[in-house]
Amino acid sequence: MPADLADLNPQQRRAVKYLDGPLLVLAGAGSGKTRVITRKIAYLVDECGIDARHIAAITFTNKAAREMRERVGELLPGKRGKGLTVSTFHSLGLQILRHEARRIGYKPRFSVLDAADAQQILADILKTSDKNSLRQAAATVSNWKNALLTPSGALSAAVDEAERQVALAYRSYQDTLRAYQAMDFDDLIRMTVLLFQEHPEALATWQGRLRYLLVDEYQDTNGAQYALLKLLAGSAGRFTAVGDDDQAIYAWRGADVENLRRLGQDYSSLAIIPLTQNYRSSQRILAAANSVIAHNPRLHEKSLWSEHGLGDHIELLQCRDDRHEAESVALRISAHKFEYRTRFDDYAILYRGNHQARLFEEALREAKIPYVLSGGQSFFDKAEIKDLCAYMRLIANPDDDPAFIRAATTPRRGVGVATLEKLGDHAGGRHISLYAAAFEAGFQTAMPPRQLEPLLTFCDFIGRTEERAEKEAAGPLLEELLAAIHYEEWLYDSEDERAARARWSNVREFVDWLSKKGEADGKNLIELSQTITLMNLLEGRTDEAPDAVRLSTLHAAKGLEYPYVYLVGVEEEILPHRECLEGPRLEEERRLMYVGITRAQRGLTITWCGKRRRGGEMATCEPSRFLNEIDQKEVKRSGAPQAGGEVREEGRRRLSALKAMLGSS
């Protein structure tokens, strides 16, 4: 047995060594799936003689890809791991489309639009600024793309007039994207599938380049991603898919748990290996999770177990109301940390919806407990970073009209709204980009010199910078760009000093990061710009986590683990959500409960309220049906409703007693 397989359990070892055809590894929560994937990559290279450049490991976030790359780097140091592809589905699609762009009528330097730019295009088409309707339209178009539905197909499938209007907008939206030489996030998969379907020679090239695929979090794939996997893996099914039907919680964003069933239907020789030993949680926590998820119909039965011992009972804590709930959790964390000498980042408070966070933030601040809120504003969403990214996108692709408009007007340089409107009319009539239209004689002769001159000065600046961007280092060129557009001066002129200083600090941090990344990866400004949007769309930057309690939705907590978890607001119409009380949607809510339970390593407290404020009034609440589905041998119940003052006083007495006891010892 190879030495680096000796520490795997029998199921993991079998999954690593299985190469007789397509394989589905059903990896329960905390069962070491990343270890299986990374060891299998090393096994393919060292024991099977497959060159690393012919292997691709595909996951869903940059963070997961980075961690996987680091682990493989330890197993395959030096040249042994050279050329290995470890990326997200979307990064892989981008890589393929850059190489093959001309086959589908795009240039290799097409732009990738972020969600804000995509929604703005839809807003112009639908002639609305209502954010809710725009978000709904964007989600509908995204779901159609993920299901590989064309605009014509969407129009045929429309069930009412509202959907028909969105389908018509979808057609105009795609025409606009092509005119901009741009794609949105979903196109990176959809267009890759279309490329392979329409150009078999391109598919053959990439099948030869990527001869074995490993797919992480397979249960989160959508229709387009599954189609891409099937095309690349070929009829022989040269892949290992790792997933867990019990953790399929992303149907709302297009993921299709039925892809697990389709694997068995499309590959009759599919082998299935379950991983059931959990390396994270105590046995009581796993027993609770197993008993809840057993109420769902499941494709493959499995029951998690652990060697971590029985552990503490799960506490079911009834609270008087939502404020009482938040105060109780804050005081319990404070007392527990003091008693057991833990760190703040050992604790997580998990909830179904972001609206639940506010009271917990207030209670934690009152108790002087530091916390981090998941899902805060991404670094890339800050206005100053989007300004600089607009310049980078425009330099990489002058046909990117949304980037053109933002760069031409930030900072303002004499290019006014009237100029842009005339430029837009000319570009629309000629079906060309704003940048190209600016150089046309027909447009120039129709413009007064005082309007034309600043526009051409701007366009010439972009053109000169584009020429230099392919040859020069990114860092110095960015410094020149910032100086040329007087961005720092503009910030201090348009903001108060404190805000300007903070925004300029973000710009400096971003430029320094890009400079280092350009040097480390050997990328110029254009190549860097082609990856920035993807990083933002997938997750944003990651910094070292501070020592603070984590506040997070259950969806955002998937894949993470904490020694002590408070699962809060577990009530009917919250978890399960009021719109998900039956059928497949209830099953997904139950899987969400399962995910929440299995985030805990040593301690789990589940809370619910007798009353909760809704719409300014107190409403009576019922405990979630999921609480009764937990094996009652594993729980202890506490927290008869008390007045808010009483619970605060009780918590403070307990904390004071602990401090006195420890102080005298």
Side-chain angles (χ1 to χ4, degrees):
M1 181 191 302
D4 56 2
L5 300 187
D7 62 338
L8 301 183
N9 68 42
Q11 292 169 314
Q12 292 174 328
R13 200 175 304 125
R14 184 174 161 230
V16 167
K17 297 175 74 173
Y18 187 88
L19 290 170
D20 293 337
L23 172 65
L24 172 61
V25 178
L26 281 172
S31 62
K33 66 182 177 64
T34 305
R35 183 190 303 180
V36 167
I37 293 171
T38 54
R39 297 295 179 85
K40 186 153 193 169
I41 292 169
Y43 183 80
L44 289 167
V45 174
D46 288 341
E47 302 297 324
C48 305
I50 300 177
D51 197 301
R53 64 194 170 91
H54 293 313
I55 301 169
I58 308 170
T59 187
F60 277 81
T61 66
N62 287 315
K63 181 171 180 277
R66 184 168 57 249
E67 289 174 357
M68 198 173 289
R69 199 177 294 115
E70 288 170 359
R71 289 211 212 176
V72 174
E74 294 170 2
L75 297 170
L76 296 173
K79 294 181 179 178
R80 285 158 60 205
K82 189 175 182 183
L84 172 71
T85 297
V86 182
S87 76
T88 63
F89 268 105
H90 294 88
S91 295
L92 180 61
L94 179 64
Q95 179 189 346
I96 293 168
L97 290 170
R98 294 280 184 219
H99 279 86
E100 310 290 347
R102 289 188 174 87
R103 294 185 195 265
I104 54 173
Y106 277 79
K107 58 187 181 184
R109 278 161 49 183
F110 63 82
S111 295
V112 181
L113 299 189
D114 66 16
D117 287 333
Q119 278 197 24
Q120 186 55 54
I121 293 170
L122 277 174
D124 294 340
I125 293 167
L126 292 167
K127 295 182 172 50
T128 180
S129 58
D130 181 68
K131 289 185 178 178
N132 282 335
S133 60
L134 280 173
R135 271 196 295 268
Q136 193 170 347
T140 300
V141 171
S142 176
N143 287 337
W144 282 335
K145 288 189 174 192
N146 290 336
L148 298 175
L149 206 60
T150 63
S152 298
L155 197 57
S156 300
V159 296
D160 54 31
E161 181 58 23
E163 208 165 272
R164 198 179 83 83
Q165 290 304 316
V166 177
L168 290 170
Y170 176 18
R171 176 175 288 166
S172 299
Y173 173 72
Q174 284 307 112
D175 291 343
T176 304
L177 289 189
R178 186 168 283 275
Y180 288 176
Q181 281 286 296
M183 296 187 194
D184 65 17
F185 194 51
D186 299 313
D187 282 334
L188 298 179
I189 310 296
R190 186 182 71 92
M191 296 293 279
T192 308
V193 171
L194 290 177
L195 164 76
F196 287 157
Q197 289 173 340
E198 295 172 3
H199 299 276
E201 67 281 10
L203 176 59
T205 297
W206 285 91
Q207 283 179 337
R209 192 174 297 183
L210 304 176
R211 297 177 190 171
Y212 198 87
L213 305 176
L214 301 103
V215 182
D216 191 16
E217 302 287 8
Y218 175 76
Q219 78 282 347
D220 293 338
T221 55
N222 58 41
Q225 289 160 340
Y226 180 49
L228 179 58
L229 168 64
K230 278 181 64 181
L231 285 162
L232 283 171
S235 56
R238 299 160 297 139
F239 67 82
T240 293
V242 182
D244 182 8
D245 51 335
D246 293 335
Q247 296 188 77
I249 59 172
Y250 293 118
W252 53 276
R253 69 180 190 195
D256 189 355
V257 71
E258 283 298 305
N259 284 345
L260 283 161
R261 192 188 311 277
R262 290 186 189 107
L263 269 186
Q265 295 168 346
D266 293 343
Y267 295 95
S268 57
S269 61
L270 180 74
I272 299 173
I273 299 175
L275 303 184
T276 56
Q277 182 174 358
N278 175 283
Y279 293 90
R280 174 188 299 159
S281 307
S282 69
Q283 189 57 42
R284 272 208 170 101
I285 290 169
L286 296 181
N290 289 335
S291 60
V292 168
I293 204 64
H295 288 76
N296 265 3
R298 300 157 84 192
L299 277 173
H300 308 282
E301 291 297 324
K302 64 180 182 300
S303 185
L304 297 180
W305 61 277
S306 167
E307 293 181 342
H308 285 331
L310 194 57
D312 294 336
H313 282 91
I314 292 158
E315 184 171 5
L316 301 188
L317 175 63
Q318 180 183 355
C319 301
R320 182 178 57 83
D321 55 34
D322 43 4
R323 188 169 294 280
H324 174 198
E325 177 185 46
E327 291 171 347
S328 298
V329 169
L331 283 165
R332 281 165 177 263
I333 289 173
S334 185
H336 191 277
K337 180 182 183 297
F338 188 84
E339 185 173 356
Y340 293 96
R341 293 293 190 256
T342 52
R343 291 169 51 87
F344 284 119
D345 62 6
D346 288 334
Y347 302 88
I349 301 171
L350 308 181
Y351 37 79
R352 175 64 175 83
N354 277 310
H355 67 279
Q356 294 168 259
R358 183 181 61 82
L359 288 177
F360 288 96
E361 288 191 76
E362 290 178 8
L364 292 172
R365 283 198 297 267
E366 176 72 21
K368 296 182 173 52
I369 296 174
Y371 66 89
V372 175
L373 192 66
S374 287
Q377 186 186 37
S378 161
F379 187 77
F380 289 101
D381 283 338
K382 296 179 186 296
E384 58 273 20
I385 304 305
K386 294 190 85 167
D387 290 342
L388 195 49
C389 285
Y391 278 92
M392 292 173 64
R393 281 169 43 195
L394 188 60
I395 290 162
N397 174 17
D399 293 329
D400 187 336
D401 281 4
F404 183 98
I405 292 167
R406 186 169 192 129
T409 57
T410 314
R412 290 223 170 256
R413 52 176 50 76
V415 181
V417 174
T419 304
L420 287 173
E421 283 180 357
K422 291 176 183 175
L423 183 65
D425 288 342
H426 185 85
R430 298 272 292 122
H431 302 290
I432 56 177
S433 69
L434 297 173
Y435 180 85
F439 293 103
E440 290 217 327
F443 169 75
Q444 293 186 5
T445 55
M447 291 294 292
R450 62 185 174 77
Q451 286 182 272
L452 183 62
E453 186 179 340
L455 177 66
L456 291 181
T457 300
F458 169 71
C459 292
D460 288 337
F461 170 69
I462 295 299
R464 290 195 309 274
T465 310
E466 179 191 8
E467 289 175 10
R468 296 175 59 194
E470 291 186 333
K471 309 168 201 163
E472 300 181 22
L477 190 59
L478 277 172
E479 298 288 0
E480 277 192 49
L481 186 149
L482 285 170
I485 66 175
H486 305 291
Y487 194 80
E488 183 179 13
E489 295 95 312
W490 174 76
L491 279 178
Y492 278 92
D493 287 343
S494 55
E495 302 270 7
D496 65 59
E497 185 176 351
R498 183 177 175 184
R501 195 185 316 120
R503 292 181 65 185
W504 180 244
S505 174
N506 289 333
V507 171
R508 291 300 334 152
E509 183 184 350
F510 186 50
V511 171
D512 292 344
W513 176 72
L514 282 171
S515 301
K516 289 173 186 170
K517 188 168 181 60
E519 285 181 26
D521 298 350
K523 289 185 175 181
N524 60 35
L525 190 63
I526 286 173
E527 291 165 330
L528 283 173
S529 74
Q530 294 171 348
T531 62
I532 293 297
T533 302
L534 260 189
M535 293 184 70
N536 177 29
L537 286 166
L538 286 166
E539 67 188 325
R541 297 186 333 152
T542 54
D543 298 311
E544 285 299 312
D547 181 21
V549 173
R550 174 71 61 175
L551 284 174
S552 173
T553 63
L554 287 162
H555 285 101
K558 184 170 171 290
L560 304 176
E561 57 187 43
Y562 305 93
Y564 304 98
V565 166
Y566 289 83
L567 183 49
V568 301
V570 184
E571 298 149 23
E572 288 293 299
E573 300 195 353
I574 293 182
L575 183 64
H577 191 273
R578 64 179 175 275
E579 295 176 5
C580 308
L581 297 179
E582 56 186 25
R585 300 182 79 177
L586 176 62
E587 292 167 16
E588 179 150 328
E589 293 293 296
R590 187 174 281 112
R591 293 195 289 267
L592 200 53
M593 179 74 175
Y594 173 86
V595 165
I597 293 171
T598 54
R599 298 313 91 197
Q601 295 170 307
R602 296 197 287 278
L604 174 63
T605 301
I606 302 175
T607 68
W608 66 278
C609 299
K611 292 184 178 179
R612 183 174 295 274
R613 189 167 295 280
R614 289 192 180 122
E617 295 183 359
M618 296 303 289
T620 301
C621 305
E622 292 293 326
S624 169
R625 67 193 72 188
F626 301 149
L627 298 184
N628 286 329
E629 294 175 357
I630 297 175
D631 185 342
Q632 298 303 297
K633 297 194 303 292
E634 314 302 341
V635 304
K636 67 174 183 180
R637 295 177 181 268
S638 62
Q642 303 171 62
E646 288 176 28
V647 75
R648 279 194 295 272
E649 198 53 46
E650 178 195 326
R652 290 191 182 109
R653 278 199 303 270
R654 183 181 174 202
L655 197 52
S656 297
L658 281 168
K659 288 178 178 178
M661 179 185 71
L662 289 168
S664 63
S665 60

